[in-house]
Amino acid sequence: MPQELLKEQWPNAIDVITIGATSQEGGTRDRAIKVGGQNGLPYLFEESDMPNKPVIAMEVFDIEPVDWPDTLKKPYGDVLSNPVEWAKKCETEFKADLIALRLAGTHPDAGNKSESDAVKLVKDIIANVKIPLIILGSNDEEKDNLILPKCAEVTKGEKCLIGDAAQKNYKTLTAACLAYGHNIIAESPIDINIAKQLNILITEMGLPSDRIIINPTVGALGYGLEYAYSIMERGRIAALGGDKMLAQPFICFVGQEAWRAKEAKASASEFPEWGKELERGILWEAVTASAFLQAGADILIMRHPKSIEIVKENINQLLQK
Amino acid sequence: MALSGLDIYKRLPKTNCRKCGFPTCLAFAMQLAKKAVALDKCPEITDEGKAALEASAQPPIKLITIGEGDKKLEIGNENVLFRHEEKFFHPTGVGIILQDSLSDEDITDRLAVINKLHFERIGQEISINLVAVKQTSDSAKFAAAVKKISEATPLGLVLISNDAQSIKAAAAPIAKKRPLIYAADSKNYKEFAALAKELSIPLVAKDADLEKLAELTKSINSEGVDSLILDTAEKPLNKKIWDLTQIRRLALKKNYRPLGYPTLTIIKNNDTYEQVIEACIYILKYTGIVLLEGFDPYQILPVLTLRQNIYTDPQKPLQVEPKAYPIGQVTSDSPVLITTNFSLSFYTVLGELEASKVPAYLVSVDTEGMSVLTAWAAEKFTSDKISESLNKFEIPKKVSHNNIIIPGYVAVMSGDLEEKSGRKVIVGPREAAGIPSFLRNLNS
């Protein structure tokens, strides 16, 4: 008798999170994006379903990035100093699924932009692009706690995704997401126990688990990728096995990590043995993203339009029936 | 699956005859379970018991060797589906496909690039393993191309053709180098198996259907050939992931012998970027060998880096020996930089230090392989530990000044460290990339 295939059925599925609201749903977006809902390990369609495909958000900064290599700046042309134009370009030209607005310039060491600057920019972006929005702080706790609630308030009804909440600083942001109907990013330092703990803390404040996205904190290819890869696999296996406090979609900040890597940035004259600089950078980001898709990533935050095009094609191939 | 000592004991004669050198059969069984002793030490075991124990003593995925000497490739013998359960043991063999229709000059040019596809990352050499030669011409041209390539590369070879006669003509002269031959299918397997047996070389068994593939390996086994690698032919990406996952699951969870071999995948996509992405996905999803056509360094570096990442032991981070490393032509005035002994931290700092061209001492503190922030949080990278390392590595004898530079991320320990070490602490940059400009400013 031939050996039967080993098909795994799991008792639990990942929560479905909706980002963005159309006019019927109380917002002004032209579409809502759903992520999550899968009831098995990634891309094993003989035994499980993935009702919502992974999506890609493009990063837009409120100040011109200083540490981007020329190969990354070039496709953006002259919009890097104009966040609204930048966001529009991502929407129309690069076909981003979402915009991830990073309010880096509000950091006290990076320009210290005010609450009103941030709020104005968020309003401008909402008025000028129609895809769902992710709003990110500057990683300065105090400033984020001041600014993010204001941004949440002026985008009430838009069902944004706002982050990041961390174990030591989640209350203000959770309260704001709760009050204004947004989703939250819960960040943990490559540690599923902390990820779970933080989700419990956030849900205890009344925000339902289907409004949380887990940021497991990823590293780039060659720079600790394997730590996050295994943490995500472990988290997903626990979630599918029944742990509802880990059953949330993953967001991976691929672009910021990949473009810090020397292999993505260094010139070909510096390292001739590494080959062409532009292609090398593009692949560094695309391979990092594709690897995390295999660990269960649902939202990828990316930078280079060509890397995004490659990963989108990869997602299409993965989902091909 | 490995048997426990008690499972083994049940199959032993239970006579406690001591001929094996152990006081009881149970004691012998325990040693067998640890693989510390061989089963043939037991003279009284029944043939039946022996057969059962020998079968279970084999690894669930057979170890296959291709090539020879220090470039030989070993794949298979894996124990887990997820690396966090233990680790992945035998890194995927990465190979480049060349067609036999290339001119001699093209072959020489390409191999000049291919032979250089090895890189140093975090103290390890990462390299491609194989060159695959694909038949598109007649038998004579194929044999000539294989001969030329074999002479021009130390890497292992894969010979791709569905014509056993062509493979034989090409493989026979280089059989000593243990090339892999590709591929036996349900129609030609007798010829291919005879060839693999005659030349003692490994063979790929290929069928798009897993059940038929299992039948095929059984048929090949009965021809006396057991050095096999599996291929499930060309199919869409997610179907391939499914096949690779099933083969690994069935081998590990069911100890299913007919699919208990490593796998091979050939990338058909020739898009510059997509073929790299596909190769990486198959590495993540268990393939034993991946063959692609692209061989530009920018395509291969990410593939080899991903393989290095994923085959790292999750329980044992890569470490360097804790000591004071002199970088460049150091003098007693050279700056002293402190970092951890986590390979990634150490080599990232080392790379920037070398790029800065400023001679310096780099002190790697024993943090048990933890990175700067993790070690600091776990109290493995403390003022006491750093002070102790400075003395142990004789920094006071090596330099005449009193300054040390610490990573920006642990700036908070400056005061305490100054007190404990009696040295002036300078806070360096947070990211290694800032080191060259930091050192230049320090000197001016």
Side-chain angles (χ1 to χ4, degrees), chain B residues 149-165:
Chain B
I149 290 169
S150 168
E151 283 163 2
T153 184
L155 298 163
L157 293 184
V158 184
L159 311 186
I160 302 179
S161 165
N162 46 24
D163 177 38
Q165 287 312 310

Side-chain angles (χ1 to χ4, degrees), chain A residues 38-296:
Chain A
Q38 54 274 53
N39 60 0
L41 292 172
Y43 313 107
L44 300 176
F45 299 124
E46 310 273 335
E47 64 186 17
S48 62
D49 296 319
M50 186 178 209
N52 299 299
K53 67 175 191 174
V55 293
I56 299 175
M58 289 184 81
E59 252 172 326
V60 171
F61 284 70
D62 63 342
I63 43 166
E64 190 166 351
V66 286
D67 57 348
W68 286 22
D70 290 342
T71 45
L72 177 55
K73 284 184 182 164
K74 198 165 172 234
Y76 289 94
D78 56 3
V79 300
L80 292 177
S81 54
N82 184 336
V84 175
E85 289 306 313
W86 182 350
K88 280 160 75 174
K89 195 175 178 101
C90 292
E91 176 179 37
T92 53
E93 192 178 326
F94 303 139
K95 311 285 178 224
D97 296 311
L98 310 104
I99 296 294
L101 177 63
R102 165 82 68 188
L103 298 168
T106 61
H107 195 286
D109 301 339
N112 204 17
K113 286 184 188 237
S114 69
E115 296 162 61
S116 57
D117 293 335
V119 163
K120 179 175 181 307
L121 177 58
V122 167
K123 281 183 174 169
D124 281 351
I125 300 255
I126 283 283
N128 282 282
V129 304
K130 290 295 156 202
I131 50 179
L133 186 62
I134 302 173
I135 303 172
L136 304 163
S138 66
N139 295 328
D140 181 79
E141 279 186 19
E142 217 171 297
K143 204 70 188 285
D144 285 353
N145 284 342
L146 193 66
I147 283 174
L148 292 177
K150 299 274 181 211
C151 296
E153 188 181 346
V154 297
T155 52
K156 185 178 179 189
E158 298 286 0
K159 260 188 162 307
C160 299
L161 173 62
I162 307 182
D164 284 5
Q167 198 182 20
K168 283 189 184 140
N169 183 36
Y170 66 93
K171 288 184 182 161
T172 310
L173 188 56
T174 304
C177 288
L178 199 53
Y180 305 112
H182 299 297
N183 304 291
I184 200 166
I185 302 174
E187 175 193 324
S188 44
I190 333 179
D191 185 322
I192 45 168
N193 297 318
I194 295 177
K196 179 174 172 169
Q197 180 60 25
L198 181 56
N199 287 351
I200 293 172
L201 293 170
I202 290 172
T203 49
E204 277 175 352
M205 282 184 69
L207 195 72
S209 67
D210 66 359
R211 277 164 64 187
I212 302 174
I213 304 263
I214 299 174
N215 171 9
T217 318
V218 301
L221 173 63
Y223 294 85
L225 173 143
E226 70 275 23
Y227 293 90
Y229 184 87
S230 284
I231 282 296
M232 288 168 70
E233 282 195 329
R234 282 175 61 192
R236 211 24 87 76
I237 289 167
L240 295 169
D243 193 334
K244 295 199 181 321
M245 281 298 116
L246 279 171
Q248 287 69 40
F250 287 123
I251 188 168
C252 296
F253 288 83
V254 167
Q256 68 179 32
E257 297 303 321
W259 289 99
R260 274 170 57 196
K262 187 166 200 157
E263 288 85 345
K265 280 178 136 153
S267 69
S269 56
E270 236 180 308
F271 290 95
E273 69 276 18
W274 286 354
K276 297 181 202 161
E277 181 176 335
L278 172 66
E279 288 85 345
R280 171 155 44 79
I282 288 170
L283 270 173
W284 214 259
E285 185 179 23
V287 167
T288 304
S290 304
F292 289 122
L293 285 175
Q294 292 303 316

